[in-house]
Amino acid sequence: MAAADVGDDVYGDDPTVNRLEATLAEMLGKDAAVFMPTGTQSNLAAVLAHCGRGEEVLVGDNYHIMCHEAAGASVLGGIALQPLATTPSGRVTPDTVTHAIKPDDAHCPMTRLLALENTVGGKAVPLAEMRAASDAAKAHGLAVHLDGARFFNAVTALSCAPHALAEIADTISVCLSKGLGCPVGSVLVGPGDIIRRARRNRKLLGGGLRQAGVLAAAGLFALENTVSRLTDDHERASALANALGAMGGGEVTHHTNMVFFTPARCDHHKLHDTLARFGIKAGAQSPTMRLVVHRDIDDIALNAAIAAFEQALDAAQMPS
Ligand SMILES: *Cc1c(COP(=O)(O)O)cnc(C)c1O
């Protein structure tokens, strides 16, 4: 990052940002890409590029765009967010998509976009299901956006090429700052005309960065060095889930790099406090805790976490 070649990305002349954008566009088989400060801004710039005021985006009812982005598309774009029921595995079915599309009627917003997500809460949605939902949208002339914050975790779990997953969507937002380990950054990928509009939206949203090559350099490093090691995260998550399961202290599920643990008969505060004393930070959701494995968790750290859970679960156990 310190050695990165930089220029002014607002003028499009930061060579490192340009290289990152070209690299991801090529990996995903699209024309163009634009570097974004955050995944939230990337999704919003994309939705604003696809839809205008009075138009509508269909989006899974538990997806990030629906629940965790401050309704930016509605607040800033006058765009309606129509939640779609998702299956327990995080999918939207083609029927759900078809039934949600509004008729051409003055009473209704105009349905323009389907926003999908993969992975969803760590769950990788298979290509066939992504394609079925996408095809249902395209049959009615909708565009398709994929919130691929954890795109490479999905691709790794599905054992497919990046462009095979990217193919189902017009635009894809990929976070560099999640499992790939960059401090900052996302990239929005798609057709040239949409990406040009998204680049304008990025400026409008205050996300035009100047010498952003220092950040893009981390992104390029990640694409070359950390994508291929995501399998390690998935394997360690699986090992952590197995170890927690063997302790018999509650229910455990795991998907890609995430473990979800619902302790039985347990004082949650005490459990978190004890884990924190061992240096283990666990998602504070209750009753189910989320544990995320990433590139800074090696086998030593994993074993330390397992040992901490053994002690903390004992300490936090409540009489049945
Ligand atoms: C993290 C995340 C985002 C974007 O997050 P930022 O913190 O804004 O970078 C979007 N979608 C999903 C599914 C995410 O996990």
Side-chain angles (χ1 to χ4, degrees), residues 81-304:
L81 290 163
Q82 169 67 58
L84 301 182
T86 46
T87 68
S89 50
R91 307 162 194 194
V92 297
T93 65
D95 278 354
T96 317
V97 172
T98 306
H99 288 134
I101 296 171
K102 307 293 187 293
D104 183 0
D105 178 318
H107 296 83
C108 305
M110 287 170 285
T111 314
R112 272 295 174 250
L113 178 70
L114 170 67
L116 297 172
E117 189 174 298
N118 207 358
T119 61
V120 180
K123 298 182 191 103
V125 180
L127 283 182
E129 316 230 1
M130 297 296 290
R131 195 168 298 120
S134 171
D135 286 350
K138 299 224 174 250
H140 290 82
L142 273 60
V144 177
H145 172 71
L146 171 60
D147 177 358
R150 301 177 191 275
F151 179 87
F152 286 103
N153 291 94
V155 160
T156 300
L158 299 173
S159 302
C160 69
H163 60 81
L165 177 55
E167 212 172 69
I168 63 95
D170 298 294
T171 49
I172 303 103
S173 173
V174 178
C175 284
L176 303 167
S177 55
K178 296 275 172 82
L180 301 189
C182 296
V184 174
S186 284
V187 178
L188 179 69
V189 184
D193 56 335
I194 298 283
I195 295 303
R196 255 192 311 282
R197 278 150 80 172
R199 195 178 287 281
R200 166 174 277 275
N201 293 337
R202 180 185 71 170
K203 184 68 186 163
L204 173 99
L205 296 169
L209 301 175
R210 300 291 176 177
Q211 298 185 26
V214 290
L215 305 174
L220 283 163
F221 180 89
L223 293 179
E224 276 160 34
N225 299 282
T226 75
V227 170
S228 56
R229 56 152 307 287
L230 288 174
T231 44
D232 298 350
D233 293 345
H234 296 186
E235 279 162 18
R236 289 195 180 102
S238 167
L240 176 59
N242 289 340
L244 285 171
M247 289 173 210
E251 250 184 72
V252 190
T253 56
H254 81 95
H255 316 283
T256 59
N257 65 329
M258 295 183 193
V259 177
F260 296 89
F261 181 47
T262 315
R265 301 189 317 280
C266 179
D267 178 334
H268 271 260
H269 285 296
K270 202 161 174 191
L271 179 59
H272 275 100
D273 284 354
T274 317
L275 287 172
R277 254 185 284 124
F278 284 101
I280 310 298
K281 214 175 204 177
Q285 303 87 345
S286 175
T288 300
M289 310 167 77
R290 189 181 78 159
L291 303 154
V292 181
V293 178
H294 51 80
R295 71 187 290 271
D296 298 323
I297 311 284
D298 58 11
D299 284 331
I300 294 168
L302 179 71
N303 290 331

Side-chain angles (χ1 to χ4, degrees), residues 7-27:
D8 188 333
D9 182 46
V10 168
Y11 294 113
D13 65 11
D14 185 299
T16 311
V17 172
N18 292 346
R19 197 146 57 83
L20 173 66
E21 291 173 347
T23 303
L24 258 171
E26 182 176 351
M27 279 176 94

